[in-house]
């Protein structure tokens, strides 16, 4: 890649906001993320993410407002968009015998044959749709177990079955889970949470640049986004075709550079020490899994090319740790804290652990582990 092209690409990266960088990192890694914010900012954040996916990356989006009352069929219907030829998304052949065989092996096949709650026109409409390239789910943690497991299946298999057909995920596919930052809200189911690459907190005070520049919106005039579909930028711009800021070639270039990132033995040992100290911390009851370690390594490699580096540094390791582990760490209960096995006082342990958050644990571990020079 020419030096001028590389410089232009890095300049584009440096102009991005935190939300845009989080999205870019997920696209580079072909993984998915959690974005947290205050309850009152969820609708605005969903629209901001929809706009940045369209403007910056030229991707189609679907916004789904999840709740405990939402049915599995409603969830499947809301993550589909109108199928566009040439976008690399799935095209269904209703007469295909192979498709029928695939459906018969689906874990939802029996459910499809039993339920007849939706009309035939709605089913036929789904046959001519495809999965959105970016699916933004609000409050997925409040959805039923069936919907969260459907999201997990979509992440792992890159396909989804409907009553009459199946849809495969496009090459560029991203699931963004929007959650309330309220610590009292329920967590995602553990198996689904395990598949999330990184998490990021966005404060409403940081603003919504794409939303404000596109609509001049305020918190009082943001419309409901319970089921919003936005087409890619080149299709939705009223002024004619508009190229996304980051092309597929740009993302592929960054991905290629990620694969070439070198992690020295000293930095690798530093990463392993952080993982070990997190796992052994007295306030941690679980969550430091093999998946987390793999994503930790992957995020460090993704961050390097965004900083014009071909190797990993301790500062990138610290940044990656603060994005990979917060949503994974399970805080232990006082009665399960290790020192209770040797006669510690329960009230004293409870007082010690009170108010401790995953972020506090990560900061303490980073302060304890010596970084390589």
């Amino acid at each position: 890649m020419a030096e001028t092209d590389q410089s232009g690409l890095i300049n584009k990266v440096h102009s991005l906001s935190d939300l845009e960088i989080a999205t870019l990192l997920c696209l580079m890694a072909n993984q998915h993320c959690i974005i947290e914010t205050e309850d009152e900012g969820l609708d605005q954040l969903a629209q901001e993410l929809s706009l940045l996916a369209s403007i910056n990356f030229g991707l189609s989006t679907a916004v789904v407002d999840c709740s405990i009352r939402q049915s599995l069929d409603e969830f499947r219907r809301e993550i589909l968009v109108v199928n566009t030829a040439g976008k690399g998304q799935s095209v269904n052949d209703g007469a295909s015998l192979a498709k029928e065989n695939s459906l018969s092996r689906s874990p939802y096949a029996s459910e499809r044959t039993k339920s007849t709650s939706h009309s035939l026109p709605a089913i036929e409409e789904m046959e001519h749709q495809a999965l959105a390239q970016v699916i933004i789910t609000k409050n997925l943690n409040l959805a039923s177990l069936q919907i969260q497991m459907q999201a997990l299946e979509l992440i792992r298999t890159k396909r989804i079955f409907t009553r009459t057909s199946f849809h495969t995920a496009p090459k560029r596919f991203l699931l963004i889970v929007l959650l309330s930052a309220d610590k009292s809200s329920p967590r995602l189911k553990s198996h689904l949470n395990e598949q999330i690459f990184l998490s990021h907190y966005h404060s409403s005070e940081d603003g919504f640049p794409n939303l404000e520049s596109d609509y001049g919106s305020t918190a009082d005039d943001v419309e409901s986004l319970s089921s919003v579909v936005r087409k890619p930028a080149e299709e939705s711009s009223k002024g004619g075709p508009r190229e996304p800021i980051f092309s597929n070639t740009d993302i592929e270039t960054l991905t290629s550079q990620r694969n070439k990132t070198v992690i020295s033995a000293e930095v690798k040992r530093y990463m392993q020490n952080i993982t070990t100290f997190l796992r052994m911390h007295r306030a941690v009851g679980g969550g430091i899994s093999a998946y987390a370690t793999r994503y930790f390594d992957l995020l460090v490699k993704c961050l390097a090319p965004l900083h014009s580096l071909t190797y990993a540094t301790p500062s990138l390791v610290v940044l990656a740790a603060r994005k990979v582990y917060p949503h994974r760490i399970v805080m232990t209960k006082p009665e399960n804290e290790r020192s209770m096995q040797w006669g510690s006082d329960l009230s004293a342990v409870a007082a010690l652990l009170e108010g401790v958050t995953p972020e506090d644990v990560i900061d303490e571990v980073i302060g304890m582990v010596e970084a390589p020079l």
Side-chain angles (χ1 to χ4, degrees), residues 28-44:
M28 288 173 59
N30 195 26
Q31 298 295 335
H32 314 277
C33 66
I34 290 175
I35 306 293
E36 294 182 332
T37 191
E38 301 85 2
D39 285 335
E40 59 273 14
L42 279 175
D43 286 343
Q44 287 177 295

Side-chain angles (χ1 to χ4, degrees), residues 62-290:
V63 180
V64 184
D65 195 352
C66 300
S67 70
I68 191 62
R69 297 181 298 276
Q70 186 180 35
S71 70
L72 192 55
D73 284 333
E74 289 173 340
F75 177 77
R76 291 170 180 163
R77 186 168 62 250
E78 291 176 8
I79 63 177
L80 300 177
V81 297
V82 176
N83 196 16
T84 305
K87 292 295 179 185
Q89 299 183 18
S90 60
V91 177
N92 305 300
D93 181 3
S96 169
L97 180 61
K99 183 205 73 173
E100 294 298 331
N101 292 335
S102 297
L103 288 175
S104 68
R105 292 191 294 269
S106 166
Y108 300 103
S110 60
E111 176 189 279
R112 283 193 299 270
T113 58
K114 292 178 182 178
S115 176
T116 56
S117 60
H118 290 281
S119 64
L120 183 60
I123 294 175
E124 291 177 346
E125 180 183 356
M126 292 176 69
E127 292 183 0
H128 299 286
Q129 293 179 318
L131 281 167
Q133 293 169 299
V134 179
I135 298 174
I136 303 168
T137 60
K138 294 190 297 179
N139 297 315
L140 184 58
N141 57 324
L142 303 180
S144 65
L145 174 62
Q146 290 77 13
I147 289 178
Q148 293 195 44
M149 291 304 99
Q150 177 68 90
L152 173 61
E153 181 185 6
L154 180 57
I155 288 174
R156 291 187 63 106
T157 67
K158 299 292 192 296
R159 63 182 181 180
I160 187 172
F161 292 89
T162 64
R163 295 179 180 276
T164 60
S165 60
F166 72 93
H167 303 269
T168 57
K171 181 180 179 181
R172 300 284 179 210
F173 175 66
L174 171 60
L175 175 68
I176 302 178
V177 181
L178 297 190
L179 300 179
S180 167
D182 186 357
K183 297 300 181 182
S184 64
S185 60
R187 294 168 62 99
L188 290 173
K189 300 302 180 184
S190 59
H191 290 8
L192 175 58
N193 192 69
E194 184 76 358
Q195 298 293 324
I196 301 299
F197 179 46
L198 61 83
S199 60
H200 174 70
Y201 172 76
H202 180 79
S203 173
S204 298
E205 296 179 356
D206 294 333
F208 306 96
N210 289 286
L211 180 59
E212 292 162 1
S213 62
D214 200 41
Y215 293 114
S217 303
T218 64
D220 297 329
D221 61 11
V222 174
E223 298 179 355
S224 172
L225 294 174
S226 58
S227 180
V228 174
V229 173
R230 187 172 185 85
K231 295 181 180 180
E234 65 269 23
E235 298 175 4
S236 62
S237 175
K238 296 180 181 179
R242 181 173 60 182
E243 291 297 322
I245 296 175
F246 282 85
S247 65
N248 283 331
T249 302
D250 291 335
I251 297 176
E252 289 170 359
T253 298
L254 291 171
T255 302
S256 176
Q257 293 173 355
R258 175 209 80 189
N259 295 333
K260 298 175 183 177
T261 299
V262 176
I263 301 180
S264 67
E266 293 79 6
V267 173
K268 190 68 174 180
R269 183 171 61 248
Y270 180 52
M271 296 172 63
Q272 292 173 342
N273 287 342
I274 288 177
T275 300
T276 302
F277 275 62
L278 284 173
R279 188 173 286 126
M280 298 303 296
H281 194 282
R282 65 186 305 174
V284 174
I288 314 301
S289 63

Side-chain angles (χ1 to χ4, degrees), residues 17 19-21 23-24 45 47-59 61 176 210-211 230:
S17 67
L19 286 175
E20 291 164 339
I21 290 176
T23 304
L24 177 59
L45 181 56
Q47 195 164 356
E48 170 70 13
L49 289 167
S50 180
L51 285 169
L52 74 84
S54 174
I55 295 171
N56 287 12
F57 306 105
L59 303 176
T61 62
I176 302 178
N210 289 286
L211 180 59
R230 187 172 185 85

